[in-house]
């Protein structure tokens, strides 16, 4: 097991800068996920950790040791490739044994360890098969066994489930987590699937255009997004561009930009969050998750209650998605499917409440109102 | 500064590859070029002036003849190959798949042996014309081949296969729904063919035409045995060399090279151009069953006749090889058959020696091809470096250069000591022929290896290194085993071509290392048809074995390997 520290790393391919100003601190035994849209530099970062790319600038450390220029074969990482990269001319057994043979493990020991690893991925009865005779999920598990059997310090997984169908993905997700816990191994998992990231990870790093925007636990990332990119990349969110009107100790009053009559919101002034943003940035938005907004039949006492009109209703099964127009802004509201049929309909006049605690003031970095 | 170990490795692999290419491809070509500029001890363009304005115009005539024959060869081969490709890929009838594999049989005949077979079949005293004469009681043979018609027929026989194969591949790639869409929009059969199908096949047809043109320009064996007084440029080079007119031979070589290399460049440009090929899903060849019973049987019978015609040369060689020398002199047909020629081949050391020479030299050349091909291809496909396209072109040059020119290049480069021959004179030694065979087949082996390496995902190599294997271990245990089948099929092909190689051999052989092809030529001169044919049969047998091995053990279709 090892911790990983990435210090101010940059990677440039000619003129394109794939990763820039990257600082990460991954703890021992942690399940750490790189999440971001296609082309944002996840694979590049992973490959710098595996040693297939050397950073243009910066340092990569394993447990404090500088590994920046160590060749891949000397890093003792186990990598699972997106296309599995199984050796097509070898059997399942030989594939898994490869790393041990390189390490000159004695043959009795080798056999025991390979069979043990195959058993862990539930493939013990397939050891003599040619890898081409396996299904996608089985190949995936061979790749996992092959990476785990060498007892690597770090397990690297690059979108390992993207070639599998939905059901198999669910199964393999559980399997990977189980193995990670079994081996207690520091794991980096690359994905662009937010559900995968939220459900599996101890912590997540969200990337875009080669820059890491936020590192945090799934709850932090979801509930306290650092900016509008993180907020809108993960889950659904209402983003409303605002300007600050009034700053109090506990409370902020902001008003919507670009509306005819002023619409004011009260937002909690959380120390350390609102403060610096207010000083440096005037491009701000408030964010709120659709499930956090309440729909009311009659106006209630409280902050941030507005009158609106239902624009559309979409039924998703357990959740009903209601779009409510408040003046010229549309709010997306998700409510559980607990009301009787026909409760929400287009044109119905309702009130919405945006609870103060759930509203967050965040900087807008993507330019232009969302 | 050397940045890291991987860069260093690339350099270590690249340096020998570039050295070999410069020493044995680039340098000899330059030597020929320099030689062509020598006139009466001074440097001038005099030789080129002579070439184009010479009074007798022999050279210009030869160049024109070469072009003329090549154009005709393209036309005739296309006329045979394209319809065959359509019939075999669009219609289903009994025996179709057998006939379609038989269609590539001409490739399974070394050029010199093939030409020899055609001489015996259709020449002055050929079996077919004489059989027809006797059958119908004619006074004279009804036809005979020779000169331009002879060359053309041999070219058509061997070269239609290129059209057949490329057009077949293209037809199978056409998405049937394109044509169906056209029918659906109301086009008739004729319209659909000319407006949809044919335009989609144009790239394949152009590619095959360029290829056949280049091959005919370089063709040597057919003119050598059949031309009579007809002059073609590849042969003129040989005559100039025999007459000792080295400067003229050099000039002719340069001009022939320029034609060939411009075709190579044109072809690369054409193939890299964007075209409107599309990837669509679920493409399957769709063949319509021939319904009409009469048409069905016409097709089957035509197919059978076609296969007989295709196999006649092979049978003729087999037949002749069973006729002991001296038993067939003035008779129209041979009458004695036994295995005397084969017995001699293996018992008379003098007759066995060329076979031994050929095998030995081909093995040496092919091993070199294997090692060089794998390294060169690995560097070209899997490594990044500046000047890659230059190395790529150097690799392809021996493919574009006519064999005769390669032979001349080697003469000019190595008839004096040079660094690249370690201070030795190579011309007149044993080593010059293996070297020539090696150079000739560099492109074949590199290209077939490229094909498999391009299929091999980079992540396979990375996975091995991630598991702790060093580069060399990875290369030995992972990369080589995976690519070996593909590499070997290309290499085996290089081997059989080396065994039968004629044009460079005839320029470079010595008495002690004379290969099979030279001995066939000698035996023909002495009218020992049987012995010549026995050598030919050995080559045919080798080819059959190699194709069988490729197919059986490497699962590679003969068509693919070619
Ligand atoms: N070897 C390379 N040479 C040049 N550019 C590269 C190379 N590898 C990656 N890039 C560029 O760097 C950027 C980041 O690529 P990377 O593969 O890390 O993205 P990713 O986040 O893994 O995306 P995906 O989800 O599509 O796999 C992209 O713009 C890509 O084009
Ligand atoms: Mg990626």
């Amino acid at each position: 097991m090892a911790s990983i520290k990435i210090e101010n790393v940059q990677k440039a391919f000619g003129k394109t800068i794939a990763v820039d100003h990257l600082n990460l601190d991954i703890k021992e035994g942690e399940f750490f996920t790189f999440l971001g849209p296609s082309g944002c530099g996840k694979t590049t970062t992973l490959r710098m950790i595996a040693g297939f790319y050397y950073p243009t600038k910066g340092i990569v450390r394993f447990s404090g040791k500088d590994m920046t220029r160590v060749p891949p074969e000397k890093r003792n990482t186990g990598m699972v490739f997106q296309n599995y990269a199984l050796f097509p001319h070898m059997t399942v057994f030989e594939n898994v044994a490869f790393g041990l043979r390189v390490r000159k493990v004695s043959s009795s020991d080798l056999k025991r360890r390979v069979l043990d690893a195959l058993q862990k991925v539930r493939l013990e009865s397939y050891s003599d098969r040619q890898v081409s005779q396996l299904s996608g999920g089985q190949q995936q598990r061979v790749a996992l066994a092959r990476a785990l059997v060498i007892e690597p310090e770090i397990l690297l997984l690059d979108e390992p489930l993207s070639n599998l169908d939905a059901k198999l993905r669910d199964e393999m997700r559980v399997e990977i987590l189980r193995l990670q816990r079994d081996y207690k191994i520091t794991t980096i998992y690359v994905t662009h699937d937010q559900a995968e990231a939220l459900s599996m990870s101890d912590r997540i790093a969200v990337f875009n255009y080669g820059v890491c925007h936020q590192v945090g636990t799934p709850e932090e990332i979801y509930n306290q997004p650092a900016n509008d990119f993180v907020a809108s990349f993960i889950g659904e969110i209402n983003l409303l561009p605002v300007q600050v009107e009034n700053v109090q100790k506990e409370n902020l009053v902001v008003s919507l930009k670009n509306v005819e009559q002023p619409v004011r919101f009260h937002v909690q002034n959380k120390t350390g969050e609102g403060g610096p943003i207010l000083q440096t940035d005037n491009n701000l938005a408030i964010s709120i998750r659709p499930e956090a907004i309440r729909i009311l039949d009659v106006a209630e006492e409280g902050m941030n209650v507005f009158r609106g009109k239902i624009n559309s209703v979409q039924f998703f099964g357990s959740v009903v998605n209601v779009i409510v127009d408040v003046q010229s802004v549309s709010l997306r509201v998700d409510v559980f499917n607990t009301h009787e049929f026909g409760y929400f309909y287009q044109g119905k006049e309702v009130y919405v409440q945006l609870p103060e605690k759930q509203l967050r003031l965040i900087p807008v970095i993507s330019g232009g109102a969302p | 500064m050397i940045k890291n170990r991987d860069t260093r490795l690339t350099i270590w692999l690249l340096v020998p590859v570039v050295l070999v290419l410069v020493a044995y491809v680039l340098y000899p070509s330059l030597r020929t070029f320099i030689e062509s500029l020598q006139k009466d001890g001074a440097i001038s363009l005099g030789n080129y002036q002579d070439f184009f304005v010479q009074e007798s115009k022999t050279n210009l005539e030869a160049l024109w003849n070469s072009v003329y024959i090549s154009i005709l060869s393209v036309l005739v081969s296309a006329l045979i190959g394209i319809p065959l490709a359509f019939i075999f890929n669009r219609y289903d009838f009994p025996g179709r798949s057998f006939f379609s594999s038989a269609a590539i049989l001409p490739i399974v005949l070394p050029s010199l042996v093939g030409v020899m077979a055609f001489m015996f079949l259709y020449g002055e005293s050929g079996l077919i014309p004489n059989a027809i004469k006797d059958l119908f009681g004619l006074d004279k043979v009804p036809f005979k081949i020779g000169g331009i018609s002879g060359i053309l027929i041999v070219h058509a026989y061997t070269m239609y296969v290129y059209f057949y194969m490329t057009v077949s591949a293209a037809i199978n790639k056409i998405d049937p729904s394109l044509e169906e869409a056209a029918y659906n929009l109301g086009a008739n059969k004729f319209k659909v063919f000319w407006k949809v199908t044919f335009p989609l096949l144009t790239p394949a047809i152009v590619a095959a035409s360029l290829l056949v043109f280049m091959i005919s320009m370089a063709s040597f064996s057919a003119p050598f045995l059949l031309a009579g007084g007809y002059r073609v440029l590849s042969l003129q080079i040989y005559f100039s060399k025999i007459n000792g007119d080295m400067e003229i031979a050099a000039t002719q070589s340069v001009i022939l090279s320029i034609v060939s290399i411009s075709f190579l460049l044109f072809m690369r440009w054409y193939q890299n151009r964007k075209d409107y090929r599309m990837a669509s899903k679920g493409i399957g060849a769709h063949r319509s069953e021939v319904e009409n019973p009469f048409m069905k049987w016409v097709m089957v019978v035509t197919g059978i006749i076609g296969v007989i015609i295709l196999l006649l040369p092979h049978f003729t060689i087999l037949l002749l090889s069973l006729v002991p020398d001296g038993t067939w002199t003035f008779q129209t047909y041979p009458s004695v058959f036994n295995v005397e020629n084969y017995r001699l081949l293996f018992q008379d050391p003098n007759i066995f020696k060329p076979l031994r020479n050929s095998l030995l030299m081909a093995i040496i050349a092919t091993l070199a091809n294997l090692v060089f091909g794998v390294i060169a291809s690995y560097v070209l496909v899997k490594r990044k470096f500046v000047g890659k396209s230059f190395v790529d072109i150097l690799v392809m040059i021996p493919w574009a250069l006519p064999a005769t020119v390669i032979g001349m290049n080697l003469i000019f480069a190595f008839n004096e000591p040079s660094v690249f021959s370690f201070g030795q004179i190579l011309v007149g030694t044993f080593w010059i022929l293996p070297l020539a065979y090696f150079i000739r087949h560099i492109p074949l082996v590199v290209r077939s290896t490229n094909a498999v390496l391009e299929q091999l995902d980079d992540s396979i190599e990375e996975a091995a290194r991630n598991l702790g294997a060093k580069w060399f271990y990875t290369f030995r245990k992972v990369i080589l085993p995976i690519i070996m089948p593909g590499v070997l099929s290309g290499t085996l092909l290089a081997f059989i071509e080396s065994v039968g190689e004629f044009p460079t051999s005839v320029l470079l052989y010595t008495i002690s290392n004379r290969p099979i092809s030279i001995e066939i030529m000698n035996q023909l001169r002495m009218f020992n048809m049987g012995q010549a044919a026995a050598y030919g049969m050995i080559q045919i047998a080798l080819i059959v074995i190699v194709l069988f091995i490729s197919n059986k053990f490497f699962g590679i279709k003969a068509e693919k390997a070619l």
Side-chain angles (χ1 to χ4, degrees), chain A residues 76-270:
Chain A
N76 202 26
T77 62
M79 180 146 171
V80 176
F81 291 78
Q82 186 169 358
N83 61 355
Y84 319 140
L86 297 181
F87 305 131
H89 60 303
M90 296 181 186
T91 60
V92 169
F93 185 96
E94 284 305 318
N95 262 283
V96 178
F98 186 89
L100 297 177
R101 289 205 198 286
V102 173
R103 286 168 175 72
K104 306 221 161 62
V105 172
S106 75
S107 71
S108 58
D109 212 19
L110 177 138
K111 188 152 186 220
R112 186 181 52 73
R113 283 170 66 179
V114 171
L115 291 179
D116 189 46
L118 283 177
Q119 196 192 345
K120 281 227 167 70
V121 296
R122 309 202 176 111
L123 280 178
E124 59 273 43
S125 56
Y126 291 83
S127 68
D128 292 328
R129 287 267 191 113
Q130 222 53 49
V131 289
S132 55
Q133 300 168 326
L134 298 179
S135 71
Q138 290 166 336
Q139 293 187 1
Q140 175 66 72
R141 284 183 278 165
V142 175
L144 263 172
R146 185 178 70 178
L148 287 171
V149 78
I150 59 171
E151 292 172 4
E153 308 224 40
I154 299 160
L155 181 63
L156 304 171
L157 304 135
D158 191 357
E159 309 211 18
L161 306 185
S162 60
N163 287 342
L164 303 180
D165 61 43
K167 195 160 170 299
L168 211 51
R169 290 172 82 121
D170 286 345
E171 273 176 38
M172 287 306 300
R173 237 184 252 178
V174 176
E175 195 107 331
I176 288 174
L177 271 181
R178 183 177 61 79
L179 288 167
Q180 197 257 345
R181 302 275 133 88
D182 266 15
Y183 281 87
K184 294 190 186 61
I185 190 170
T186 313
T187 300
I188 299 182
Y189 188 94
V190 169
T191 183
H192 58 248
D193 179 333
Q194 35 154 321
E196 222 164 82
L198 293 174
S199 64
M200 297 174 82
S201 325
D202 292 326
R203 283 195 303 154
I204 300 173
V206 185
F207 284 73
N208 196 25
Y209 292 117
V211 177
C212 176
H213 285 288
Q214 189 174 3
V215 178
T217 63
E219 288 84 358
E220 282 167 352
I221 298 276
Y222 189 82
N223 293 333
Q224 299 155 24
N227 55 41
D228 66 324
F229 168 75
V230 177
S232 53
F233 185 71
I234 294 160
E236 292 293 335
I237 201 147
N238 294 294
L239 275 175
L240 309 170
V242 293
Q243 62 226 1
V244 176
E245 292 209 330
N246 195 344
V247 184
Q248 285 147 14
K249 198 154 182 257
E250 309 237 305
N251 245 301
L252 293 172
V253 179
V254 297
S255 67
L256 283 188
K257 282 182 183 167
N258 319 323
V259 284
E260 285 151 23
Q261 293 158 14
V263 182
R264 295 199 173 77
F265 296 91
H266 295 261
V267 185
Q268 285 191 335
N269 188 0
K270 291 184 186 119

